[in-house]
């Protein structure tokens, strides 16, 4: 990547607009994943030509402080030397074999060592593959078909999950997608996050039918919404009492909210865990794992079929392993993510009161979100009641200041080992200036 251009107040994303127009001719919406299209916030997405540390560089040559972090992947920041070197070494030997490699064993051993509830693990190529495979396994293991998810929860785009989903689905206002067969949707039961009674009601209504409850242990796909005390332990108790499996979808929280993910932070042992993002170091990856007795049901050891041409790809394994090695060997990483998080807590925590603007900041580990609302946020309805207009105003104001938030109020902000306290203080100062502008939306 070229040396970082000095910050310039480019005349808006002229090159980006041209690229988007060209992209739309051959790619749906001009993007390969909907949330990138800025539909939730309006305006033109920034086309990126490189990244380094905590910064993106767009095609206009602008340097943007990055809180997308590839949606949580880049916990070490962009272009970490160890990851770059591991990839260079791996690519020199080949890119894909379709045959087993020792690196896959080393990565599986690292995941099993670091993620408390994972004894056996299978690599796949995305978080979606991980969650759809985990649900298939849960259905096979229990002989049951129905699955409980939570309103605003997002587990990838496989049919069973596109029922009142969060993330890009909520951003676009299609939480339940066309194309999902009614029978599939009927097997997906929807409860309210942080509301154990809503889960118990579903178990009472469908005795002996629910294979699994899949949950983001810290919700990140309706913005960052932490579990209230007792929620996760209550889910575990309900699942055990009713014969269902508890699936922690840690695609986002894994290696993000602590080294061992949410299950380590909250001391909960789910039956199955899904992972992605961080464990690929920026390359396409996913994984599902958990209790050995369950995972040994997966082909070819057992009858539950799941496969993938590029599963355990040597480049993704190399980048993921290099990332996990830094996370495991450098104790400063999670202290750093927490320290930056505390700066945000302190900064946003009192800003609303000082400015007389209803706003709530929630954070767990290295992820957080700001909601423009008076009421406490604990579930989809309370998230949906927050002001999108105010978020969008802040989003664009920060972008003009060279700070790139995720382009949706229903996403978490991510920072990295490469972000500095000065970056956070700059973000807070810029946000306060934006919130005090005369044209800040009334609601
Ligand atoms: P992928 O299939 O996108 O690798 O992972 C799906 C997934 C599963 N589970 C959780 C908890 C997730 O957060 C995700 C994907 N996260 C979104 C960001 N909110 C991906 C961004 C996008 O869709 O472009």
């Amino acid at each position: 990547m070229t040396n970082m251009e000095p910050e310039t107040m480019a005349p808006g994303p002229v090159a980006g607009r041209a690229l988007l127009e060209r992209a739309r001719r051959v790619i749906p919406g001009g993007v390969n994943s909907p949330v990138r299209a800025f539909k939730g916030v309006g305006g033109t997405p920034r086309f990126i030509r490189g990244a380094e540390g905590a910064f993106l560089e767009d095609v206009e040559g602008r340097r943007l402080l990055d809180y997308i972090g590839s949606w949580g992947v880049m916990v070490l920041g962009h272009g970490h030397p160890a990851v770059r070197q591991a990839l260079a070494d791996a690519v020199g030997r080949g890119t894909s074999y379709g045959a087993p490699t020792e690196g896959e064993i080393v990565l599986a051993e690292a995941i099993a060592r670091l993620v408390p509830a994972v004894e056996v693990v299978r690599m796949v190529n995305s978080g979606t593959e991980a969650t759809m495979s985990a649900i298939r396994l849960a259905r096979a293991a229990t002989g049951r078909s129905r699955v409980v998810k939570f309103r605003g929860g997002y587990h990838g785009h496989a049919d069973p999950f596109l029922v009142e989903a969060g993330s890009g689905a909520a951003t676009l206002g299609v939480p339940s997608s066309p194309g999902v067969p009614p029978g599939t949707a009927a097997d997906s039961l929807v409860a309210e996050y942080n509301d154990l009674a809503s889960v118990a009601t579903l178990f009472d209504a469908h005795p002996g039918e629910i294979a699994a409850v899949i949950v983001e242990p810290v919700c990140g796909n309706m913005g960052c919404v932490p579990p209230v005390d007792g929620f996760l332990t209550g889910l575990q108790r309900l699942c055990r009492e009713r014969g269902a499996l508890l699936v922690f979808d840690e695609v986002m929280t894994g290696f993000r909210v602590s080294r061992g993910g949410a299950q380590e932070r909250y001391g909960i042992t789910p039956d199955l865990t899904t992972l992605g993002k961080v464990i690929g170091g920026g390359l396409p990856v996913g994984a599902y794992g958990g209790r050995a007795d369950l995972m040994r049901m997966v082909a070819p050891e057992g009858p539950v079929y799941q496969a993938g041409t590029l599963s355990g790809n040597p480049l993704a394994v190399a980048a993921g392993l290099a990332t996990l090695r830094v996370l495991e060997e450098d104790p400063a990483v999670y202290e750093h993510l927490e320290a930056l998080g505390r700066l945000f807590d302190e900064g946003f925590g009192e800003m609303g009161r000082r400015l007389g603007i209803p706003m709530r900041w929630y954070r767990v580990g290295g992820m957080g979100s700001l909601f423009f609302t008076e009421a406490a946020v604990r579930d989809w309805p309370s998230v949906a009641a927050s002001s999108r207009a105010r978020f969008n105003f802040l989003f664009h104001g920060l972008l003009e200041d060279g700070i790139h938030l995720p382009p949706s109020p229903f996403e978490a902000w991510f920072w990295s080992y490469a972000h500095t306290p000065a970056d956070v203080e700059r973000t807070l100062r810029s946000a306060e200036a934006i919130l005090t502008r005369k044209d800040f939306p009334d609601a």
Side-chain angles (χ1 to χ4, degrees):
M1 192 183 80
T2 59
N3 64 320
M4 299 302 282
E5 310 285 341
E7 283 177 47
T8 56
M9 288 309 291
V14 175
R17 273 196 287 272
L19 284 173
L20 183 61
E21 196 177 315
R22 189 176 134 208
R24 280 181 173 146
R25 288 199 286 271
V26 284
I27 305 171
V31 292
N32 279 313
S33 196
V35 71
R36 302 176 192 170
F38 273 32
K39 289 276 189 205
V41 294
T44 302
R46 297 304 188 259
F47 279 72
I48 303 305
R49 70 178 177 206
E52 187 80 43
F55 292 86
L56 299 168
E57 182 179 350
D58 73 10
V59 294
E60 326 290 331
R62 292 198 76 205
R63 191 166 181 260
L64 303 169
L65 181 56
D66 179 21
Y67 289 106
I68 306 173
S70 183
W71 305 98
V73 171
M74 307 315 287
V75 70
L76 296 181
H78 295 284
H80 189 284
V83 176
R84 274 198 173 135
Q85 188 56 55
L87 271 176
D89 295 348
V91 83
R93 294 192 296 273
T95 54
S96 180
Y97 313 118
T101 62
E102 184 181 357
E104 293 163 81
I105 308 170
V106 180
L107 180 57
E109 289 168 342
I111 292 170
R113 184 170 61 247
L114 295 169
V115 184
V118 173
E119 297 173 327
V120 174
V121 60
R122 164 62 60 82
M123 297 304 296
V124 293
N125 298 286
S126 69
T128 295
E129 271 193 78
T131 55
M132 65 185 249
S133 306
I135 290 305
R136 179 180 308 136
L137 174 57
R139 285 170 161 161
T142 59
R144 301 174 178 185
S145 299
R146 296 187 193 274
V147 172
V148 173
K149 71 174 289 291
F150 293 89
R151 201 152 42 139
Y154 181 75
H155 307 288
H157 65 87
D159 283 354
F161 305 123
L162 289 183
V163 177
E164 301 201 57
S167 183
T171 300
L172 299 183
V174 282
S176 303
S177 172
V180 176
T184 303
D187 277 339
S188 299
L189 306 174
V190 181
E192 206 68 78
Y193 193 71
N194 278 326
D195 177 351
L196 279 173
S198 70
V199 182
T201 299
L202 291 173
F203 273 114
D204 293 343
H206 302 279
E209 297 176 12
I210 295 173
V213 174
I214 184 166
V215 64
E216 292 179 60
V218 174
C219 222
N221 287 292
M222 48 175 147
C224 179
V225 179
V228 300
D229 288 349
F231 177 61
L232 296 177
T233 46
L235 281 185
Q236 185 173 51
R237 175 179 43 75
L238 272 172
C239 287
R240 286 181 178 164
E241 286 170 357
R242 309 299 184 95
L245 299 182
L246 178 59
V247 182
F248 266 20
D249 179 355
E250 298 224 43
V251 167
M252 183 185 287
T253 55
F255 301 97
R256 168 65 56 179
V257 300
S258 93
R259 185 174 289 108
Q263 55 195 263
E264 178 181 83
R265 191 176 184 109
Y266 296 102
I268 301 281
T269 306
D271 299 296
L272 292 173
T273 298
T274 54
L275 298 164
K277 297 183 194 278
V278 167
I279 64 168
L283 272 72
V285 77
Y288 66 107
R291 284 173 27 203
D293 63 308
L294 293 172
M295 290 303 296
R296 299 214 179 279
M297 292 180 68
V298 176
E301 194 165 343
V304 181
Y305 197 71
Q306 176 269 312
T309 302
L310 291 166
S311 295
N313 171 269
L315 302 189
V317 166
L321 259 181
T323 301
L324 295 194
R325 279 201 180 106
V326 175
L327 296 177
E328 185 170 17
E329 292 166 6
D330 184 347
V333 176
Y334 290 98
E335 292 158 15
H336 185 77
L337 295 177
E338 284 293 336
L340 297 184
R342 283 194 295 274
L343 288 178
F344 273 122
D345 300 350
E346 291 149 22
F348 282 134
E350 49 81 41
M351 193 183 291
R353 279 191 301 279
R354 190 152 39 79
L355 303 180
I357 296 174
M359 50 199 259
R360 296 256 182 171
W361 165 260
Y362 292 89
R363 172 191 68 93
V364 182
M367 61 189 266
S369 292
L370 187 67
F371 300 93
F372 288 100
T373 184
E374 186 66 54
V377 169
R378 53 176 289 141
D379 53 22
W380 173 251
S382 51
V383 164
S386 63
S387 167
R388 294 185 69 162
R390 290 185 159 185
F391 174 84
N392 294 351
F393 188 90
L394 175 65
F395 173 85
H396 284 290
L398 287 174
L399 190 55
E400 281 159 26
D401 283 356
I403 299 168
H404 202 324
L405 295 186
S408 165
F410 310 128
E411 296 288 358
W413 309 8
F414 300 104
W415 48 96
S416 77
Y417 200 23
H419 286 70
T420 66
D423 293 328
V424 175
E425 281 143 20
R426 170 190 167 194
T427 306
L428 290 166
R429 278 196 313 276
S430 178
E432 178 154 0
I434 293 160
L435 300 188
T436 50
R437 279 172 37 181
K438 286 194 298 297
D439 54 342
F440 184 63
D442 293 334

